[in-house]
Amino acid sequence: MNKINSVFICLIILIGYSIQAQNSSKNDHKIEKEIDSILKLMTLEEKIGQMTMYNGSWDLTGPPGTVSAKDKFEKLKNGKIGAMLNVTSAEATREAQKAVMEHTRLKIPLVFGYDVIHGYKTIFPIPLGESASWDLELMEKSASIAAKEASAAGIHWTFAPMIDVSRDARWGRVMEGAGEDPYYNSVVGVARIKGFQGDDLSASHTIAACAKHFAGYGFAEAGKDYNSVDIGVYELHNSILPPFKAAADANVATFMNAFNEIDGIPATAHKYLQRDVLKDGWNWEGLMVSDWGSIGEMIAHGYARDKTHAGELAIKGGSDMDMESSAYEIGLKNLVEENKVSMDLVDDAVKRVLRLKMKLGLFKDPYKYSNLDREESEIYTAAHQEIAREAGRKSIVLLKNDTILNNNSSLLPLKPNQKIAIIGDLADDKDTPLGNWRAKAERKSAVSLLEGIKNAIAPENITFAQGPAFVIDELEEGKRQFLWPLKFNESDTSGTADALKIASHADVVIVVMGENAYQTGEGRSQVDIQINKLQKDFLKKVRKANPNTVLVLMNGRPLDLSWESENISTILETWHLGSQAGNAIADVLFGKYNPSGKLPISFPRSVGQEPLFYNQKNTGRPYSQNTVTFSGYTDSEKTALYPFGFGLSYTSFKYDKLKLSDTTMTKNGKILASIEVTNIGDKDGEEVVQLYIRDLIGSLTRPVKELKGFKKLMIKKGETKTVSFEITKDQLEFYTVDKIWDVEPGNFQLGIGGDSQIKLGAKFQVN
Ligand code: NOJ
């Protein structure tokens, strides 16, 4: 080792050791000084290296690139890579880190990112499903467990949470977020960020979070993934940006931009969004990573001539790190040397990378997360499984539980000693409940519903037959299913007769169907959102064989359940519920847990209604006057079949005596809204009490109602609880015609209830 190198190493180690509590501004100041001193030592090539991220080969979450594993290893040793994604395990991360620490001049540690979306190896419900729990503490907890497991395997950074407001069930990625509402996405996003990052990013069990996709990705036209987005600036600020502002305020360490364009400008090069709004407007100092190849894709967008041009547009637009495009590596040096890109822009990006690494404590110990002992002992523990089960049962939504006429009660909860037939392709499926984006889950490691039921009741009361399979699983064991399309069985109905036979002999039939794990997720948009034909035909036969049929759905997007809701008395939405799915569903089926989940996204009557969301505008023609000339459809109701916020319980709740502490308030004042909620059934239960507000007249038209608060609480049978909400400027302001967030004086209406279809009752005025 030459003298200069050892001086650098000492300097960097010294810098590292001096960093401790990094949250105070004093220390932030210290970090900034240390970052500046490292920056001064760096060559332009080394800076570009820090701005470059490559994929490892332990997982593949985007189109395969052209750089070989061997070449990447060389690049690591030459300081050409500052971050890697999809390198997993303590051993693999240690090996890659070693290449950097032992061979590069400045020994700036690598940061390892991975899509830890709903668990690392212990898998929690898919985010859309978990959002149905309306339990922020629980979501924070599951994210913290995901962080603990991922960090034990060398991961520093998750590409989560996805906080794209998603209103279109055709879009496969609705499974990855918190649904259709901006406020709800904000609070869920913040809970998840807190869970991943904890209070101290440098602690060995926390990881950096990433607010994605900035911005507008969830508004892809026609629900087609990667498609263009065309929204106005007011819609952008009022509907799409609030969760990102909340994430920035919660100190999320990183953002990821998006594949889509907005009104002609690719998000990856969107200067207004990334620089004017986020970095300058919100003073956010974190790292903006591109999405996979999204810099290079600006060529296909018709926005960049070649990779060098794409790199120029991306850095000017605010992308700090290039994931998998090699655009910065190819062109940035020349761009700077030719004065097309200023060194200041490069320095700002590199500082953001170094800041992340500092905050993670990597300069102090680059290997601290790559810990074989922790990897052995802290992943997939019994305690984590318990939380996965709790998260699972709290995420289930009871959509329908009608009284069965011939015995005057509903089917759920199931009674002890009933003879149960469990059928359907997903009944015994140990893979589908893991959902898409399952990180390091072992294939087929979930508890299937059949197993869950076997764990819950005596074996002599259970019969099982699969019925017809709806997906042809041709992929060999272990092959990454992420990128390949599924093949569906169109015609083979074998298995039907056996299943119908056991169905007709049972007291109750539980039929389990819906979507395969890989039917939703990235690149999994669909134009048909019904249960596929083969399953539906089978369901019709089952229903005929035994009307005491409970439909248990496993799916990642809202489905069109029009036929099912007309014809099946009992429907339970269980999403893709994770490692403990079967046990969690059995807890609900047998009444060990009283369901409390509520939909975070509207379920339509028909795909033709999509995008469908409760907080629409009123239009100039909202009402029917017995003519066709109003805003609706001639062949369908315009409302959701199951609305946002909806979900039943084994008990019921009555809302009464809505009160306001005052009917007028000033802009900066407050009033209190309260209501009495009584459990009028015969079981204890939890209710999600929701507050909706409407601003009646605005400088811009306002939605017919907007969720502005909620409380989830346990109410014992017969008990009444008074639930109150404080109404302040936070609930009333919006991005006005003057392009500022403000409360406009005027009349408002408010309602508190159990779902988004409640009528708004109380009126108040802001002066
Ligand atoms: C593409 C996805 O859009 C993004 O969400 C993900 O984090 C990256 N690939 C990395 O896997």
Side-chain angles (χ1 to χ4, degrees), residues 32-96:
E32 294 312 309
K33 273 179 71 183
E34 286 155 354
I35 291 171
D36 284 342
S37 56
I38 299 176
L39 199 68
K40 282 197 190 111
L41 305 174
M42 295 175 79
T43 63
L44 178 56
E45 286 89 336
E46 283 163 341
K47 290 177 184 175
I48 295 168
Q50 288 305 306
M51 296 167 66
T52 301
M53 174 183 247
Y54 272 112
N55 178 58
S57 34
W58 286 258
D59 204 340
L60 189 63
T61 53
T66 49
V67 185
S68 70
K70 193 164 158 268
D71 287 350
K72 281 181 202 161
F73 205 68
E74 282 311 304
K75 286 180 193 290
L76 280 179
K77 294 204 280 191
N78 294 324
K80 292 203 177 301
I81 302 181
M84 295 208 73
L85 77 153
N86 296 340
V87 181
T88 60
S89 86
E91 196 187 340
T93 50
R94 183 170 280 270
E95 199 193 345

Side-chain angles (χ1 to χ4, degrees), residues 127 130-136 139-140 143 161-163 177-179 182-195 600 710:
E130 200 182 46
S131 301
S133 72
W134 296 64
D135 186 334
L136 299 176
M139 292 185 249
E140 184 177 335
M162 185 186 98
I163 48 176
Y183 168 77
Y184 194 53
N185 266 282
S186 307
V187 291
V188 170
V190 169
R192 291 188 167 135
I193 289 163
K194 278 198 210 157
F710 65 91

Side-chain angles (χ1 to χ4, degrees), residues 56 178 446-447 481 511 643 645 729:
V447 177
Q481 304 204 9
V511 53
K729 137 180 180 303

Side-chain angles (χ1 to χ4, degrees), residues 245 310 491 496 566 578 607 622 631 641 650 670 689 701 705 710 727 733:
K245 173 72 166 66
S491 55
T496 303
E566 277 272 292
V607 71
S631 178
L641 182 63
Y650 293 151
K670 61 177 173 208
V689 179
T701 58
K705 60 179 74 130
F710 65 91
I727 315 297
E733 64 180 358

Side-chain angles (χ1 to χ4, degrees), residues 55 60-63 85-86 114-115 117 159-160 162 173 176 210 212-213 217 225-226 256-257 259 290-292 323 437 482 522:
N55 178 58
L60 189 63
T61 53
L85 77 153
N86 296 340
Y114 192 41
D115 291 285
I117 307 294
F159 304 129
M162 185 186 98
R173 296 194 83 166
E176 232 184 294
C210 180
K212 72 186 188 187
H213 303 84
Y217 186 39
D225 209 356
Y226 317 120
M256 182 184 291
N257 54 37
F259 292 123
S290 83
D291 203 344
W292 179 296
M323 182 195 293
W437 287 119
F482 181 83
E522 188 180 343

Side-chain angles (χ1 to χ4, degrees), residues 291-359:
D291 203 344
W292 179 296
S294 70
I295 298 183
E297 285 173 17
M298 289 196 288
I299 302 168
H301 272 288
Y303 195 68
R305 291 183 298 275
D306 52 29
K307 280 215 175 160
T308 301
H309 187 209
E312 177 182 350
L313 293 165
I315 176 104
K316 287 184 172 162
S319 294
D320 302 313
M321 184 179 276
D322 171 358
M323 182 195 293
E324 274 286 313
S325 284
S326 318
Y328 288 168
E329 190 183 343
I330 290 170
L332 203 46
K333 186 162 182 278
N334 283 345
L335 288 167
V336 174
E337 284 167 357
E338 289 164 12
N339 288 327
K340 288 187 178 149
V341 166
S342 76
M343 190 61 108
D344 283 353
L345 280 189
V346 173
D347 284 352
D348 178 63
V350 176
K351 277 180 165 185
R352 289 169 187 270
V353 179
L354 297 179
R355 194 172 292 132
L356 174 68
K357 295 180 176 183
M358 286 268 174
K359 289 196 168 180

